[in-house]
Amino acid sequence: MKPGQSDQSVWNEKRLRFAIEGAGVALWAWNVDTDELILDECGCDMWGVLRDKQVTFEDLSAHIHPADRDRVGAAFAASRAAIGQYEIDFRILVGDEVRWISARGQGEDDGMVDRTMFGIFLNVTGRKQAEESNELLAGEMSHRVKNLLAIASGLTSITSRSASSTEDMAKQLTNRLTALGRAHDLVRPLPGHAKTDALLGDLLSVLLAPYDDLGAFSGRIRVSVPRMGVGAASATTLSLVIHELATNSLKYGALSCETGTLDVSSTSHEGEVVVVWTERGGPPVETPTGQGGFGSKLINRAMSMQLGGTLSFDWAAEGVVVTLKMDRESLER
């Protein structure tokens, strides 16, 4: 057989089945009159239904995620009138597991055999999770860029208040921006360089030094924490949280004015580390309304999923108090 020519004898049932199983493709057949739905073994396993049990489209719909159920039902009904191929992605629930399924087939009633439509299911969970991760990463990167611009603006403002000349301002601002770079290096070492655990006090001091008019420990930012290690993975997460809190303080809180102060203290007890962020002397505090922006959601997600902890706010009139509770084992990883 020459290249490009089709020899139908090559594609016998056994070889087609081998190719289909290797690709993880599930086959389905739906009788539009009786609503009976026939799945092959791969389809039964994909949906979490018994192989020897007769199912209908309505039975299978019970496994579809409630948020997608109406959309999928309408799409399948519309597929009978669709011209050409169709494809729809949706979520199903198999126990506590959420899976993403892609249903594909050929529309038009004219293509049915004995009132039965045919198609395939593909498990596309991995692809969907990757897409969701990419969307979260893109949102996080956008948020961080905005935060960096806000930080640069805020640092310029506080530097201009204490600088005696243009040259002095440029020097102070450069030092503060360099300190931000050192904080980044502390939690994200260069490839090929060994990484050792950072100390919590060092991490907090380096992260907060750019925001202090006089430098950590000697100015309006005071850090007092016990000696404990912070692992490489958790240091990155904690730095994200601290930068978010510092940025908000620089824009709206104690660090936005000359009289404001920040105290960061910590205790450790029975496997739990508690960091208390206390602001005083800033503008009058107003309790925010609404669900919060991307930054708020991001740090709450990071605290919960990566540090096994929680984040709580006390919007006291004299200054906000933020309490970070973290699992010690998670913090040391």
Side-chain angles (χ1 to χ4, degrees):
M1 183 176 63
K2 295 180 180 180
Q5 291 182 336
S6 176
D7 186 348
Q8 297 300 323
S9 64
V10 173
W11 309 113
N12 58 42
E13 181 179 349
K14 180 179 179 181
R15 290 169 178 169
L16 283 174
R17 171 59 66 179
F18 181 78
I20 289 171
E21 290 178 352
V25 176
L27 304 178
W28 58 264
W30 175 38
N31 187 297
V32 298
D33 293 327
T34 66
D35 199 37
E36 180 183 4
L37 193 68
I38 300 174
L39 299 173
D40 66 357
E41 291 183 354
C42 181
C44 291
D45 294 341
M46 188 181 295
W47 284 79
V49 299
L50 298 176
R51 294 182 177 183
D52 56 353
K53 182 181 179 181
Q54 181 176 333
V55 296
T56 64
F57 182 80
E58 184 177 355
D59 295 331
L60 214 61
S61 295
H63 292 264
I64 298 176
H65 194 287
D68 295 343
R69 197 168 294 156
D70 291 342
R71 176 174 63 88
V72 174
F76 262 83
S79 67
R80 294 185 55 186
I83 299 177
Q85 297 176 338
Y86 66 85
E87 176 181 348
I88 179 172
D89 295 349
F90 53 90
R91 292 163 292 179
I92 66 171
L93 299 173
V94 181
D96 294 331
E97 181 185 357
V98 177
R99 296 176 183 172
W100 274 96
I101 302 297
S102 181
R104 304 177 186 182
Q106 183 75 27
E108 300 176 89
D109 280 357
D110 291 341
M112 292 194 300
V113 179
D114 296 329
R115 303 292 293 164
T116 300
M117 296 183 68
F118 301 90
I120 66 168
F121 289 132
L122 291 174
N123 187 336
V124 293
T125 304
R127 172 169 63 84
K128 286 294 185 178
Q129 289 176 340
E131 290 174 357
E132 291 173 355
S133 296
N134 287 338
E135 289 176 3
L136 178 63
L137 179 60
E140 180 179 337
M141 290 302 296
S142 174
H143 177 73
R144 287 194 181 194
V145 169
K146 292 178 181 178
N147 264 1
L148 283 174
L149 294 175
I151 288 171
S153 176
L155 291 180
T156 302
S157 176
I158 63 174
T159 304
S160 66
R161 293 198 297 263
S162 59
S164 57
S165 65
T166 304
E167 292 77 12
D168 184 37
M169 177 179 172
K171 182 178 179 180
Q172 289 188 41
L173 186 58
T174 299
N175 289 339
R176 288 187 168 114
L177 292 175
T178 301
L180 278 179
R182 288 199 303 270
H184 178 79
D185 290 339
L186 183 64
V187 298
R188 279 295 187 193
L190 294 174
H193 289 63
K195 172 64 180 178
T196 57
D197 287 357
L199 291 176
L200 178 61
D202 291 344
L203 179 65
L204 293 173
S205 298
V206 171
L207 289 171
L208 294 174
Y211 305 94
D212 194 343
D213 284 337
L214 301 176
F217 296 103
S218 60
R220 58 185 184 143
I221 296 180
R222 295 179 288 270
V223 177
S224 177
V225 300
R227 184 181 179 86
M228 66 179 73
V230 179
S234 56
T236 301
T237 302
L238 186 59
S239 70
L240 173 68
V241 175
I242 295 300
H243 271 306
E244 182 69 23
L245 295 178
T247 302
N248 288 339
S249 181
L250 194 63
K251 290 192 289 187
Y252 315 113
L255 298 182
S256 67
C257 63
E258 296 181 15
T259 58
T261 62
L262 169 63
D263 283 281
V264 182
S265 61
S266 175
T267 58
S268 178
H269 181 66
E270 294 182 354
E272 183 179 64
V273 177
V274 180
V275 175
V276 180
W277 172 288
T278 305
E279 298 186 25
R280 291 292 183 266
V285 175
E286 296 182 7
T287 303
T289 58
Q291 298 180 345
F294 181 82
S296 176
K297 295 176 183 177
L298 182 63
I299 61 175
N300 274 285
R301 178 188 176 105
M303 285 292 296
S304 174
M305 297 184 63
Q306 296 168 298
L307 295 178
T310 59
L311 193 68
S312 60
F313 292 81
D314 177 11
W315 304 101
E318 62 272 21
V320 65
V321 178
V322 187
T323 303
L324 296 76
K325 294 183 178 180
M326 299 165 283
D327 175 68
R328 179 152 190 167
E329 289 187 1
S330 298
L331 187 64
E332 293 174 347
R333 284 202 288 267

